[in-house]
Amino acid sequence: MPRHVPVALASAGLAFALAACGGASTTDSGGQAAPDALNAKADLSKQSLTISIWDGYSPKDLPQQVKAKLGFDTKVAIHDTNETVMAKLTAGGDSGIDVAFVSGQYAQALNAQGLLEPLHTELIPNLKNLYPEATQLAYDKGNKFSVPYTWGTTGLCYRSDLVKTPPTSWNDLLNPSADLKKKITMMTTERWLALPALKLLGASVNTTDQATLDKAKAALLKVKPDLLAYDDTTFGDRLKSGEAVMVEAWDGWCPTDQKNIKFVVPKEGSDLWTDTMVILKSSKNKEAAHAFINYVLDPSVHGWVPANILYKVPNKAAMDAVDPALLKDHPELALPPADLLKGEGLIDLGEASTAYTRLSTEVAAAQ
């Protein structure tokens, strides 16, 4: 199955890059960018669309589908990380991208600089298909400038046949028993490297308190000698081979189709990550952009995601139609939205994100 890293490396320079790019726009008294007037009856055949998305995150024939259904041409540009597309979107001027798929906190950062078109919800009637919980995401409550495409959480993925006791706590990772040492992996992506330690400390995954981050770093340095590796991409293969028996993992990357591989959210809690669709304010095809997002939210279209890349979507109608056999093989897909929202939503930390960069750099460099 194609896979995608939900949020790639948190960019240390994100806040600075955004500040440098300008991009200020007219705002209303509440600070929200004033929307351009759009024509609900616009001839979409006279528009075209360029979307930027991760490879494998949509059907290969998406442009053909859109052409047949909506009548306009669509070009798909591929980006490998949030940073790649953010660099393009914040370089100044028209990036040529109409719709971008970015993770939630990156959408928040783009909106803060006036680079996003506020959503014209009257042009996206399929918003009605979203779970009510999808309007309560920390980075964009009410879905004012972004539409969630996928969502999930982070936890422990493990071999039930190779661990003596099923893990229940982040402590099982950070203070491993003797039989787990050198058989566990953690992620190096900045916010996710810190997450287990922060949650074990009872702290927020969005904390900017330096004393708390120092305690988290100490816990990460303590466990480093006991790790098999830091691994953000191949931990599933390590589990399958038995090289690793427990790993920190995003839910969609835990290969639970293997009968002896299980996924659990530790009792201390975890995060809620979201990947979103946003419309650039520089787009000259805003009506087509809204029509595209509305099309994606059709249950028969959005349902491609859980069926093909095993990620949950915040679309109730689409999830209700998921094959029960798939849910049985991949129980993490069946996690109810109410339970998912128990996870702490990741938000953009602006310049304070450099503290996480420093933490991960120091942990990586430690001998």
Side-chain angles (χ1 to χ4, degrees):
M1 295 291 182
R3 288 290 205 268
H4 138 73
V5 177
V7 183
L9 300 177
S11 174
L14 175 59
F16 301 112
L18 287 171
C21 79
S25 67
T26 304
T27 58
D28 60 25
S29 58
Q32 180 67 34
D36 295 335
L38 298 186
N39 179 8
K41 297 182 180 180
D43 183 354
L44 298 183
S45 68
K46 295 183 179 180
Q47 298 189 21
S48 62
L49 212 59
T50 296
I51 68 169
S52 189
I53 189 171
W54 294 275
D55 191 22
Y57 220 34
S58 63
K60 291 294 185 185
D61 64 345
L62 183 62
Q64 291 80 10
Q65 291 183 27
V66 172
K67 180 70 172 181
K69 184 69 175 181
L70 302 178
F72 57 81
D73 293 328
T74 300
K75 176 184 177 182
V76 176
I78 298 299
H79 59 258
D80 55 352
T81 68
N82 279 291
E83 284 72 33
T84 301
V85 69
M86 289 294 287
K88 186 177 295 185
L89 298 178
T90 60
D94 184 357
S95 65
I97 295 172
D98 300 288
V99 176
F101 286 66
V102 296
S103 299
Q105 63 266 43
Y106 291 85
Q108 181 185 6
L110 289 170
N111 185 65
Q113 290 298 314
L115 298 178
L116 298 184
E117 175 71 11
L119 296 177
H120 298 248
T121 56
E122 71 279 6
L123 299 183
I124 315 176
N126 280 337
L127 285 169
K128 69 178 185 296
N129 293 328
L130 295 179
Y131 288 106
E133 290 88 347
T135 68
Q136 300 303 311
L137 301 169
Y139 61 86
D140 181 19
K141 289 193 174 182
N143 308 127
K144 294 180 174 62
F145 53 82
S146 65
V147 175
Y149 181 66
T150 55
W151 58 3
T153 189
T154 308
L156 296 174
C157 185
Y158 65 98
R159 284 284 297 265
S160 61
D161 58 330
L162 296 179
V163 298
K164 292 181 178 179
T165 304
T168 60
S169 167
W170 288 117
N171 191 58
D172 295 318
L173 180 71
L174 293 176
N175 293 289
S177 56
D179 59 303
L180 295 180
K181 291 181 179 180
K182 294 299 183 180
K183 297 180 181 179
I184 55 178
T185 72
M186 292 186 66
M187 295 190 287
T188 55
T189 306
E190 292 173 6
R191 301 288 290 276
W192 283 270
L193 172 64
L195 184 151
L198 291 174
K199 281 301 179 183
L200 195 56
L201 288 168
S204 168
V205 295
N206 298 307
T207 187
T208 57
D209 177 67
Q210 190 57 53
T212 301
L213 290 172
D214 287 343
K215 290 179 181 178
K217 184 178 77 170
L220 295 170
L221 290 173
K222 179 183 176 183
V223 74
K224 185 174 181 179
D226 296 328
L227 298 179
L228 168 66
Y230 291 109
D231 187 348
D232 292 55
T233 57
T234 65
F235 48 74
D237 292 333
R238 291 178 189 265
L239 281 175
K240 291 178 183 179
S241 71
E243 181 187 10
V245 299
M246 185 174 72
V247 301
E248 178 191 7
W250 294 295
D251 48 0
W253 277 52
C254 183
T256 52
D257 54 331
Q258 308 289 311
K259 66 177 183 178
N260 292 322
I261 296 181
K262 310 294 183 185
F263 178 83
V264 64
V265 176
K267 62 185 180 181
E268 296 86 5
S270 189
D271 66 334
L272 167 60
W273 61 260
T274 311
D275 288 339
T276 75
M277 299 177 282
V278 297
I279 299 172
L280 277 298
K281 197 162 186 65
S282 57
S283 170
K284 300 176 178 62
N285 306 287
K286 294 187 176 73
E287 289 87 357
H290 282 79
F292 170 79
I293 290 176
N294 190 62
Y295 173 71
V296 170
L297 293 180
D298 183 287
S300 64
V301 178
H302 212 175
W304 178 91
V305 175
N308 287 274
I309 60 173
L310 304 177
Y311 275 23
K312 293 179 288 295
V313 295
N315 186 321
K316 183 180 187 302
M319 292 303 296
D320 285 347
V322 172
D323 185 348
L326 187 65
L327 297 178
K328 183 178 180 180
D329 289 342
H330 298 274
E332 72 280 1
L333 279 175
L335 187 69
D339 288 349
L340 192 60
L341 260 73
K342 291 177 183 177
E344 189 178 4
L346 291 162
I347 61 173
D348 174 52
L349 299 176
E351 294 185 10
S353 66
T354 57
Y356 285 83
T357 303
R358 185 166 58 251
L359 182 152
S360 63
T361 301
E362 292 172 353
V363 170
Q367 299 297 319

